[in-house]
Amino acid sequence: EVTIEEPNREPRTFRVGVPFDSAALRGGEFDFGFGAGVDEASRKEPVSSGYLAYGLLDTLTAGLSAETGFGSFLGGFGASAAAPWGLFGLSFGLSAAGAGTRGYAAEGTYRLILPNRRSLPRLSLRFLWESADFAPPLPSEEGLQAGSERGTLAAQASQTLPPGFSLSAAAEHGAD
């Protein structure tokens, strides 16, 4: 809400559509998490992950993350920014696996979600690029096989309908 106060006039309050992101932090706030355990399938392979996020401004959040397990390590950096025309995110990741294999990935996102404007659809776009040797910590049967660089472009639009239903359309294209 925005309130305008002028001399000799009543204050006027306007509701302004501002994108919403539940992961956004206010300026000066921290968020962190850490988890460790063993792989669910084998009950033997140790795995762990953690993150640290900081609100640089009320509209800008940045963070670091790390994962390890299955002979692989993944470290990342990401930032998200809120603007009146949407939410923008950018993240980078570096992976290291056995035999000196190093890889990297980058992801860019755009989302438009206006919770106070249910008549407008929610929109999202995502681009992901991974180097040929990018190997996040996954079991070998699920892990990505080294080969060529991979790129993915995805889009989604959804609309809330009465009485509480939602209609959604999504498309994704990937290329090696």
Side-chain angles (χ1 to χ4, degrees), residues 16-67:
V16 179
V18 176
F20 171 76
D21 184 1
S22 60
L25 299 175
R26 292 180 187 253
E29 287 185 344
F30 278 97
D31 188 19
F32 63 92
F34 177 78
V38 293
D39 169 46
E40 185 177 2
S42 72
R43 303 263 189 224
K44 295 178 184 176
E45 179 70 34
V47 295
S48 64
S49 68
Y51 72 93
L52 171 66
Y54 180 69
L56 299 169
L57 304 168
D58 284 349
T59 57
L60 181 62
T61 300
L64 301 170
S65 64
E67 295 179 43

Side-chain angles (χ1 to χ4, degrees), residues 4-13:
I4 298 174
E5 297 180 10
E6 298 177 88
N8 302 325
R9 296 187 86 177
E10 291 291 318
R12 296 178 292 165
T13 301

